[in-house]
Amino acid sequence: MKMTQPTCFNGLLAVLLILTSSSATADWNQYRGPSFDGHSSEVINLSKIQGKSLWKVPTTNGFSSFAASGGLVATLVSRQDEDGLQRETCLVLDANSGKQRWAVHLDRADYKHGGGNAGAKGNNGGDGPRTTPTINGDRVYVYDADMNLYCLDAKTGVTIWKKRISKDFAGREIKWKNAVSPIIDKGLVIIPGGGAGQSFLAFHKGTGDLAWKSGDDTMTHATPTIGVIHGIRQAVFFMKSGLVGVAVKDGKILWKQSFRFAVSTAASPIIAGNMVYCSAGYGVGGGLYRISRAGDGFSSKKVWFRKEVVNHWSTPVLNKGHLYGMFSFKKYGNGPVKCIELATGEEKWSAPGFGPGNVSLTGNGRLLALTDNGQIVVIDATSSGYKELAKVKSITGKCWSTPILSGGRIFARSTKEGVCIDVSGG
């Protein structure tokens, strides 16, 4: 007897096929990706990673990562303007060819911290942008070192609106200036940086009108993250006082967790259900905190803290209950990539030779790592041990930015150049 599938089943199958095919290639439109966690739904074709790059372009100075969406890639560099002044510059390229679509000068690149150019050992950061643009539809959003928030037309670079956080919201400038990237959620551009009563800010992405403001805290270099904790969508900020959970809907402060600050906090927090992980360098360490809810009230409690679990500015990714990423402080060139059990903070394995680079996670549980000397490494994200799957020397210069996977391509950059590698068909 011939069996036929019910019409409803066929319809469901069609929907699943559409969803599967549409998620095979995904935009990486902002820092740490569309889901704020460093995860991509795409996979890498390992047989193509050693092939010739599609393009390489100059990317002068700084540690801004790429964002990719709608056939465009964006990053921040520093360039001289027509008067010979060094300026932070938003650079937008064609994703297929690497050709410049437009470049718009922002404020003067005057960091006043003596970072200098990379020295003989290549351990100095040098002066340059640290924040990553966000591409959202037909707009590009930038939060520059001087705490100016821009909304730019994605086709032309023309400024649609601009907010001066330092001047108009009593912004508190910090050492080495702003490194926070703008994040967009529920139609809002969300950033820290304002003064008393307005440390946490949200603007309507279309008009730039203020949606809400709250809090009295000082920002760090850590970009906030978004997630749902106990049914409430929250922006989790990593401030000088520690972690702060803020309702995306209205800016209400839901909970706080104190955490030691020393010199600079730069790695983003990670949300894992009702847990939040964070870490900082300069002798601080990392910890996991359980967020609880009773009625409308939230509270936070330490699960564990380990001084040796250190993320300087490299935010790890979470996969199957384990953190993967660069765990070290100022171990340039040789700092390890590690696997850390989230529940306990215990180290499962460690492999040297990465330095303070950065990582992202592919759709099939593989770690895409960029070493600080320009090697792209693909690693199996498993707690059983270090398993290297591919490695290629991709770019020269200092690499303290995050490699991304979008549209079947790896985009990565250094203080000298950016590269695009076709890894489609995996």
Side-chain angles (χ1 to χ4, degrees), residues 103-149:
V104 170
H105 294 308
L106 309 174
D107 273 9
R108 185 175 178 179
D110 186 10
Y111 299 92
K112 301 177 182 178
H113 59 62
N117 295 320
K121 295 183 179 180
N123 294 341
N124 292 328
D127 287 339
R130 271 77 165 156
T131 176
T132 299
T134 293
I135 306 174
N136 189 273
D138 59 356
R139 308 282 176 89
V140 177
Y141 299 83
V142 178
Y143 193 24
D144 72 11
D146 288 307
M147 302 172 68
N148 297 301
L149 178 64

Side-chain angles (χ1 to χ4, degrees), residues 51-377:
K52 184 179 179 181
S53 59
L54 287 179
W55 50 258
K56 281 188 177 182
V57 297
T59 53
T60 312
N61 297 333
F63 304 108
S64 174
S65 301
F66 278 121
S69 180
L72 302 175
V73 288
T75 191
L76 296 188
V77 297
S78 65
R79 287 182 175 179
Q80 283 189 348
D81 64 12
E82 58 276 7
D83 297 319
L85 295 175
Q86 200 74 6
R87 302 273 292 276
E88 286 202 337
T89 303
C90 183
L91 175 64
V92 171
L93 309 171
D94 183 280
N96 295 317
S97 65
K99 291 182 178 178
Q100 179 178 305
R101 291 284 189 90
W102 51 263
V104 170
H105 294 308
L106 309 174
D107 273 9
R108 185 175 178 179
D110 186 10
Y111 299 92
K112 301 177 182 178
H113 59 62
N117 295 320
K121 295 183 179 180
N123 294 341
N124 292 328
D127 287 339
R130 271 77 165 156
T131 176
T132 299
T134 293
I135 306 174
N136 189 273
D138 59 356
R139 308 282 176 89
V140 177
Y141 299 83
V142 178
Y143 193 24
D144 72 11
D146 288 307
M147 302 172 68
N148 297 301
L149 178 64
Y150 297 82
C151 172
L152 309 173
D153 185 280
K155 291 183 179 180
T156 64
V158 171
T159 299
I160 297 171
W161 55 259
K162 176 183 176 181
K163 300 296 175 181
R164 304 175 302 173
I165 306 304
S166 290
K167 294 182 178 179
D168 299 334
F169 295 90
R172 295 163 172 166
E173 185 176 295
I174 58 175
K175 185 178 181 180
W176 299 320
K177 296 198 171 185
N178 175 52
V180 171
S181 301
I183 57 174
I184 296 182
D185 189 55
K186 303 299 181 182
L188 302 177
V189 187
I190 301 171
I191 56 170
Q198 49 192 351
S199 295
F200 312 116
L201 294 161
F203 301 92
H204 292 288
K205 69 175 186 178
T207 63
D209 293 339
L210 182 68
W212 50 255
K213 59 182 181 179
S214 63
D216 184 5
D217 209 331
T218 301
M219 70 184 297
T220 64
H221 297 111
T223 297
T225 192
I226 302 286
V228 176
I229 304 175
H230 293 296
I232 304 295
R233 194 161 186 83
Q234 304 178 26
V236 178
F237 295 85
F238 200 0
M239 308 293 280
K240 278 194 174 183
S241 67
L243 298 170
V244 184
V246 178
V248 169
K249 180 180 179 180
D250 56 12
K252 179 182 178 182
I253 296 175
L254 302 173
W255 56 271
K256 293 184 177 182
Q257 171 61 55
S258 62
F259 195 87
R260 182 185 162 207
F261 174 82
V263 184
S264 170
T265 294
S268 294
I270 292 176
I271 299 172
N274 66 340
M275 305 281 192
V276 179
Y277 166 83
C278 64
S279 179
Y282 298 94
V284 179
L288 182 69
Y289 300 89
R290 177 179 288 107
I291 312 304
S292 300
R293 181 181 183 183
D296 293 332
F298 285 79
S299 62
S300 175
K301 184 177 181 180
K302 180 178 69 177
V303 177
W304 58 260
F305 178 86
R306 292 177 180 265
K307 194 171 182 178
E308 68 273 16
V309 179
V310 177
N311 301 114
H312 191 178
W313 55 68
S314 307
T315 304
V317 292
L318 179 64
N319 185 48
K320 297 181 179 179
H322 293 82
L323 297 166
Y324 298 87
M326 281 60 162
F327 289 83
S328 65
F329 180 71
K330 292 191 176 182
K331 291 185 178 180
Y332 305 104
N334 200 44
V337 62
K338 292 185 178 184
C339 171
I340 303 292
E341 186 177 52
L342 180 69
T344 63
E346 293 181 0
E347 180 182 307
K348 293 300 181 181
W349 55 257
S350 176
F354 288 81
N358 272 286
V359 300
S360 57
L361 190 74
T362 71
N364 57 346
R366 290 173 173 174
L367 201 65
L368 176 61
L370 179 64
T371 70
D372 70 351
N373 66 358
Q375 296 188 85
I376 290 175
V377 187

